Amino acid sequence: MFEGLSLDQAPPISVVMRFFLSVPIFGIALSLLMIIAPTEVLTPNHPLSLAAIHLLFLGIITMSMIGALFQMQSVLGGRPIPAPAGNAFIIHALLNIGIFSLAGAFITQAAPLYVIAAVLLGSALVYTVFLITPLLIKGGNHSTLRGMLVALVSLFIAALLGIEMADAYAQMSLSTLHTLIRETHYSFALIGWIGALIIAVAFQVVEMFYVTTAYSDWCKRNVFRILPAALALKTLWLFYDLPYVWVFDLLMAGVLMGFLTTTVRRLRERKRRVSDVSIWFWGTGMGLLLIALVSYMLSLVSNAEQFVQIALIAYALFAVSIILGMIGKIVPFLVWFHLNSAGYMDAPIMSNIIPLKRSQSLFGLFVLVSVTAIVSVVYPPLLILAGIIAFALFALLGYNLIGALKLYRYTLDHGTRFEQV
């Protein structure tokens, strides 16, 4: 099951858990914003809408993805991140302060907060890229590592553009290129960073966890050539004001649609037929990705802003669905693995670390959040209900994570090691 993985290179459990434990905090902050100011959150480019978007894409999605990168690079690439505990502490601290500063800057319009966010958040993201990228370049020709490399380069570009925009907001002087910079920032963040990394992770974990047939070699070889090429050409077309820029959006949508249909087929034909909540999250995520792609195509045809909003919300929920499914899978494994590696003979089995009922409840809450958030685009008052359910969702996620960590520490303190028998 874990063939090709260097599990002995796994970082300490605290490295990954500190990132995961921050996710519920940002989730609850986002929920409160949805409850308090639903109309503003749904108004495109409103400061509160921008605060909500960055709490979602940075505080929930990017925070958990960077935590997962610390684990994946070490066990998959076989080249551990140097001083993982210290580097994770620095990046995690900079991310937390930077994200809250950026959200606060959008809410209060205070120029110093934009500067703090640009410095701290930009430092965290750029440092992450420079820390992990050299390890990936030397890590071989594994498709998942290639995808992680594309994702990190995209994150680097998105971060630089984000710093430029934060500086412009701080000086209250937007350049004539602001709209183009913002679209390029979103493209690299949504498709290059989030999309490429999820595809890369799927190439490894869908086959491994659910015992499916492998994704085709053509797909693994070419998807990480097409996506960066399309992003680069789209940027060129945008800045030189060339016609038919939408062709590159169609190309990227085609790649994502191919990934969607292939993944669904792999999951349906999986050899390990045991029911698993993480599969429900993967399936729901693919459904949300389909809604996002169809809505975006409709927005190109109709120019209707509501289709853009639905596409953005559904795409974010697609990423969150995959993340929640993977956290539910990875955290019990990490607790079990580290206790077994330390020689504790009474380490809990994975299914007891986060009980099935709580995992199912988390999934049910996520489905309710997804439905109410998407429908709120046409009936805005529903976003308040979405916020209330999201609050419960992230509170339960935090409870699950803290419970898993408490069980880990209890076993460390009271468990019996093999050499004590």
Side-chain angles (χ1 to χ4, degrees), residues 218-379:
W218 188 95
C219 181
K220 289 181 176 179
R221 188 169 54 248
N222 291 299
V223 68
F224 299 124
R225 295 173 178 168
I226 297 172
L227 281 182
L231 282 168
L233 290 171
K234 179 182 176 182
T235 303
L236 188 67
W237 252 245
L238 279 173
F239 280 85
Y240 282 92
D241 195 24
L242 298 173
Y244 309 115
V245 67
W246 49 266
V247 169
F248 303 108
D249 284 334
L250 285 182
L251 185 58
M252 289 184 277
V255 170
L256 291 172
M257 186 63 80
F259 165 70
L260 186 163
T261 53
T262 306
T263 301
V264 169
R265 189 181 305 125
R266 294 292 179 275
L267 292 175
R268 289 184 62 183
E269 297 171 355
R270 69 187 186 279
K271 298 172 185 174
R272 187 171 180 268
R273 308 302 296 180
V274 178
S275 178
D276 188 323
V277 175
S278 69
I279 292 180
W280 302 356
F281 275 111
W282 272 94
T284 305
M286 293 303 111
L288 289 162
L289 178 58
L290 179 63
I291 294 173
L293 293 174
V294 171
S295 299
Y296 190 72
M297 293 301 106
L298 291 173
S299 75
L300 292 179
V301 175
S302 65
N303 283 324
E305 183 62 37
Q306 285 189 329
F307 284 125
V308 177
Q309 288 181 283
I310 291 173
L312 183 63
I313 292 173
Y315 190 82
L317 289 167
F318 144 69
V320 173
S321 185
I322 303 301
I323 287 168
L324 290 177
M326 293 315 300
I327 286 179
K329 199 80 175 175
I330 290 173
V331 169
F333 171 74
L334 289 180
V335 171
W336 171 85
F337 168 72
H338 282 283
L339 289 173
N340 267 279
S341 298
Y344 285 90
M345 58 186 299
D346 46 5
I349 60 174
M350 286 192 285
S351 59
N352 288 343
I353 295 170
I354 299 180
L356 179 62
K357 287 289 184 185
R358 293 216 302 262
S359 297
Q360 292 173 334
S361 298
L362 195 76
F363 176 77
L365 289 170
F366 177 75
V367 171
L368 290 175
V369 168
S370 300
V371 172
T372 49
I374 290 173
V375 176
S376 71
V377 174
V378 292
Y379 184 63

Side-chain angles (χ1 to χ4, degrees), residues 16-194:
V16 183
M17 289 300 291
R18 71 172 66 246
F19 290 96
F20 288 172
L21 283 167
S22 289
V23 171
I25 297 171
F26 286 105
I28 287 173
L30 173 63
S31 307
L32 293 175
L33 201 54
M34 293 161 65
I35 295 168
I36 295 169
T39 304
E40 291 83 355
V41 167
L42 285 171
T43 303
N45 298 322
H46 189 284
L48 294 189
S49 174
L50 295 175
I53 286 173
H54 287 85
L55 284 173
L56 174 57
F57 283 100
L58 289 173
I60 297 172
I61 297 174
T62 296
M63 180 69 73
S64 52
M65 288 168 71
I66 289 179
L69 272 179
F70 266 86
Q71 179 73 20
M72 291 192 65
Q73 160 53 36
S74 298
V75 301
L76 185 59
R79 298 175 63 87
I81 293 172
N87 279 314
F89 174 81
I90 293 169
I91 292 171
H92 177 253
L94 292 174
L95 272 178
N96 273 292
I97 302 172
I99 295 168
F100 273 122
S101 298
L102 185 61
F106 283 124
I107 294 170
T108 64
Q109 295 295 297
L113 285 178
Y114 282 117
V115 176
I116 293 172
V119 173
L120 299 187
L121 188 52
S123 298
L125 298 179
V126 171
Y127 184 58
T128 301
V129 173
F130 278 92
L131 181 67
I132 301 178
T133 300
L135 303 174
L136 294 172
I137 293 174
K138 299 175 182 175
N141 199 32
H142 194 288
S143 56
T144 296
L145 297 181
R146 286 201 304 274
M148 289 162 60
L149 184 59
V150 170
L152 281 172
V153 172
S154 299
L155 177 64
F156 178 70
I157 296 170
L160 291 184
L161 296 174
I163 291 170
E164 197 283 333
M165 287 194 291
D167 178 64
Y169 285 128
Q171 299 184 38
M172 300 182 68
S173 174
L174 304 183
S175 75
T176 54
L177 297 176
H178 178 76
T179 302
L180 298 179
I181 292 173
R182 187 177 62 193
E183 183 164 352
T184 306
H185 170 71
Y186 284 158
S187 296
F188 275 92
L190 297 179
I191 306 300
W193 164 234
I194 296 173

